[in-house]
Amino acid sequence: MAPEHHQFAQPQQDVDGDGDEYISDSGSDFNEQWIDWFLGIKGNEYFCDVDVDYILDKFNLTGLNTEVEKMSKVIDMITDGLDEEYEIGDKERDHLEANANKLYGLIHQRYIITTKGLNKMHLKYKNADFGYCYRVYCELQHLLPIGLSDHVGVSTVKLYCPKCEDIYNPKSSRHAQIDGAYFGTTFPGMFLQTFAAEVMPVHPVERYIPKIFGFNIHQYAKLARWQELQRNKQIKRLTESGINVANVMNGYNINPDGSPLKPPVVSSGSRSRMRSSRSDK
Amino acid sequence: MGENDSSDFETWISNFCSLYGHDYYVEVGQDFIEDDFNLTGLSSIVPYYKEALDFILDLEPEHEIKIKDQALVQQSAEVLYGLIHARYIITKPGAQLMNEKYSKGQFGCCPRYACNGSKLLPIGINDTPGVETVRLFCPDCFDLYLPTSSRYLNIDGAFFGSTFPGFFIKMYGLDNPNLRPSDDLKIFGFKIHEGSNVGSRMKWLRATPSTDEELREFDEVD
């Protein structure tokens, strides 16, 4: 995959033509190059940039040497420390490249549950880099990436909606090819716990029951009634243990008496309502 | 424009259905539109009703349409066609045409991972034109989703109607919720307690009765 990436930045620096040579600076610019190149590939928008310091700390890579071949060369490649004198053929480069992707992904899985990584992912979440929930009643809730397994090659990346607590397939086929292990199973839970006060939504209780000329179809209506019974049981259980769920974060959009609130007209309305309910506490 | 050869004459309807982003529509049979009974009540909803109807049926208008009205008539024709379409797809021939599209998966697949790519059906939550755009209904999780492509986001939901998916799943025997619950969120393999500030609140939405007690409860909810 694009073995000539090292040549990208070099000519550009000459183009601005102010005569200055970037010899002194190029060292530090060069350091981020492989990661920048990797993040710039179409389809890699879900990844955040991992600090080089984090990668260079061997402690953070514990156990990864069993997953990745030629570990030290690959680390050099990611951190752009690969000796330029060192001649490698296309075949070897492709091999290294594939391993570099894998290693970066696995480091990424660990990095995004550190404080720094979580903050970077928080920015991406606020930007809706992971897309919006497709469910109509979730009103364009921002999604979070999730892996179904922490091991490479088990399944591709999926998206988690904090509002309906369900898992969705990415819309773009490019994202549907990314390994889920590069994000891991722990990330969304960790993310929500860290930023609970900011990101936990109010869950909508509205749902759709298929109708014919306005009449509910029995099988669906019956199951829906049973599901609502389960919800009411949960509300009772939570209220009894002292947790308020009426229109607060990680509660439901219901009145204290349990009747559903009128759904907000615009999604921004629900957010401001959430904020005000938090300050009430 | 003079007379066209009948061989390469494209009707307004087939032209309309082949436009970009109009691939959810089926071609309504000419005889269905010509039967006045099927159009009951539409004349009070659609302005320029008569002209629009002539437009759809490729008939020469009785009176010359003023140039400034032509755009309005064109727009009325689209609304009228949509409303006729909503009625047509809940007839047997209409549903058959929709079934051809459905079985090819032309309305897309359920984005929910646990639904395992079950095919979607178009639906309008509101039957009045101009209120809501088209949504997609999954017969397995009976939930509504937004179309993934923006090209469908300006199609009026009323042109499919709120009855269509219900009618369709009844007709083709798909009317059984087939809910597969999703996995719980875990941190380092541990479930999050319900009482936590990020504890699960939406399990009910994808729950199905499985234990004996739940099944008894399910029988009693009627």
Side-chain angles (χ1 to χ4, degrees):
Chain A
M1 257 208 290
E4 54 300 292
H5 67 271
H6 281 297
Q7 279 112 53
F8 278 17
Q10 240 50 12
Q12 272 180 355
Q13 293 180 341
D14 295 346
V15 172
D16 63 10
D18 54 7
D20 278 328
E21 297 205 357
Y22 275 76
I23 295 167
S24 55
D25 279 15
S26 67
S28 62
D29 279 349
F30 205 62
N31 267 342
E32 273 105 23
Q33 260 185 20
W34 187 90
I35 296 175
D36 286 347
W37 165 79
F38 179 78
L39 295 176
I41 297 175
K42 262 198 164 180
N44 282 357
E45 294 85 357
Y46 288 176
F47 289 95
C48 73
D49 63 307
V50 179
D51 283 332
V52 174
D53 293 348
Y54 187 85
I55 300 171
L56 290 175
D57 185 341
K58 285 276 156 27
F59 176 75
N60 295 324
L61 311 183
T62 311
L64 293 184
N65 51 346
T66 58
E67 306 261 358
V68 180
E69 293 166 47
K70 294 187 181 157
M71 183 85 158
S72 59
K73 277 245 170 58
V74 169
I75 295 172
D76 285 348
M77 187 170 204
I78 292 178
T79 55
D80 298 290
L82 212 54
D83 198 351
E84 288 201 43
E85 307 294 299
Y86 177 65
E87 291 276 323
I88 43 174
D90 278 357
K91 219 175 185 170
E92 200 190 341
R93 189 174 270 282
D94 283 355
H95 183 71
L96 272 186
E97 201 75 64
N99 275 296
N101 285 1
K102 194 172 170 187
L103 180 68
Y104 187 80
L106 289 171
I107 296 173
H108 187 264
Q109 179 205 114
R110 297 178 176 190
Y111 180 72
I112 58 174
I113 52 177
T114 64
T115 315
K116 266 187 166 176
L118 280 166
N119 280 322
K120 283 183 184 171
M121 291 302 261
H122 188 206
L123 281 178
K124 290 177 81 69
Y125 167 83
K126 282 200 284 195
N127 251 337
D129 282 359
F130 313 113
Y132 303 94
C133 186
Y134 313 98
R135 188 169 174 264
V136 169
Y137 297 111
C138 286
E139 295 178 321
L140 302 178
Q141 166 71 37
H142 296 188
L143 296 167
L144 289 166
I146 185 172
L148 301 179
S149 164
D150 289 320
H151 298 284
V152 176
V154 179
S155 89
T156 55
V157 69
K158 307 287 174 232
L159 298 164
Y160 178 81
C161 170
K163 220 173 201 175
C164 59
E165 297 176 355
D166 215 333
I167 296 169
Y168 295 96
N169 296 315
K171 183 156 133 177
S172 148
S173 56
R174 265 195 230 104
H175 296 147
Q177 287 164 7
I178 299 172
D179 202 301
Y182 299 165
F183 297 88
T185 56
T186 299
F187 168 69
M190 196 68 139
F191 180 87
L192 293 174
Q193 237 170 28
T194 311
F195 302 107
E198 271 172 88
V199 302
M200 271 323 272
V202 180
H203 302 286
V205 294
E206 293 90 44
R207 64 106 42 93
Y208 176 75
I209 297 164
K211 292 176 177 60
I212 296 182
F213 300 120
F215 297 104
N216 289 342
I217 299 179
H218 178 72
Q219 295 93 311
Y220 291 96
K222 189 176 177 187
L223 182 56
R225 273 200 298 277
W226 179 79
Q227 289 174 335
E228 261 154 52
L229 184 74
Q230 304 308 306
R231 185 182 72 221
N232 289 335
K233 275 162 73 178
Q234 188 181 17
I235 291 176
K236 198 168 160 234
R237 209 161 53 227
L238 289 167
T239 318
E240 275 170 4
S241 51
I243 299 165
N244 177 24
V245 288
N247 197 25
V248 291
M249 65 158 213
N250 204 27
Y252 304 96
N253 59 346
I254 52 170
N255 293 313
D257 64 354
S259 59
L261 276 175
K262 251 202 125 18
V265 185
V266 284
S267 51
S268 62
S270 70
R271 203 160 298 145
S272 63
R273 203 177 55 208
M274 194 177 92
R275 215 166 276 142
S276 66
S277 65
R278 209 179 332 122
S279 56
D280 287 344
K281 282 207 295 183
Chain B
M1 292 278 228
E3 306 279 13
N4 277 314
D5 275 346
S6 60
S7 56
D8 56 44
F9 177 74
E10 199 187 22
T11 62
W12 184 90
I13 296 176
S14 65
N15 173 49
F16 179 76
C17 294
S18 62
L19 289 176
Y20 176 78
H22 284 196
D23 38 342
Y24 283 179
Y25 292 107
V26 296
E27 293 190 26
V28 179
Q30 198 94 6
D31 42 343
F32 184 85
I33 303 177
E34 279 163 358
D35 187 342
D36 275 342
F37 177 74
N38 294 326
L39 311 182
T40 311
L42 294 183
S43 59
S44 61
I45 305 175
V46 183
Y48 296 100
Y49 171 76
K50 251 198 92 47
E51 290 85 345
L53 190 59
D54 288 346
F55 223 88
I56 294 174
L57 294 170
D58 301 296
L59 300 172
E60 290 290 322
E62 274 175 37
H63 311 285
E64 195 71 32
I65 300 170
K66 289 187 206 118
I67 295 201
K68 69 175 168 76
D69 289 348
Q70 261 170 5
L72 292 170
V73 172
Q74 173 70 30
Q75 210 185 356
S76 283
E78 286 177 15
V79 175
L80 180 61
Y81 182 76
L83 293 173
I84 297 172
H85 184 267
R87 295 181 177 193
Y88 182 65
I89 56 177
I90 51 173
T91 64
K92 212 174 165 213
Q96 269 165 0
L97 289 177
M98 286 301 264
N99 188 33
E100 280 173 29
K101 284 183 181 280
Y102 169 79
S103 38
K104 284 188 219 148
Q106 282 189 359
F107 307 113
C109 295
C110 185
R112 193 171 165 259
Y113 169 68
C115 275
N116 205 6
S118 61
K119 293 176 209 136
L120 297 168
L121 288 163
I123 185 175
I125 303 176
N126 204 301
D127 285 312
T128 322
V131 180
E132 283 250 28
T133 60
V134 71
R135 305 281 185 258
L136 298 166
F137 169 79
C138 170
D140 280 356
C141 61
F142 63 116
D143 217 329
L144 301 179
Y145 299 98
L146 297 166
T148 40
S149 167
S150 58
R151 77 181 87 146
Y152 304 119
L153 290 181
N154 55 6
I155 293 182
D156 201 314
F159 299 170
F160 295 88
S162 59
T163 294
F164 167 68
F167 173 84
F168 187 88
I169 56 179
K170 271 252 177 255
M171 183 166 169
Y172 289 98
L174 307 163
D175 55 338
N176 249 319
N178 185 12
L179 260 180
R180 285 164 290 250
S182 296
D183 292 341
D184 294 320
L185 210 53
K186 285 182 182 148
I187 296 183
F188 300 120
F190 295 104
K191 279 190 199 169
I192 302 167
H193 189 265
E194 185 182 71
S196 148
N197 61 348
V198 297
S200 166
R201 296 285 181 271
M202 292 299 277
K203 245 185 225 152
W204 59 275
L205 186 66
R206 315 296 193 195
T208 43
S210 53
T211 64
D212 285 347
E213 200 203 326
E214 284 170 343
L215 286 165
R216 209 177 317 116
E217 225 173 37
F218 182 65
D219 286 333
E220 285 166 5
V221 288
D222 271 316

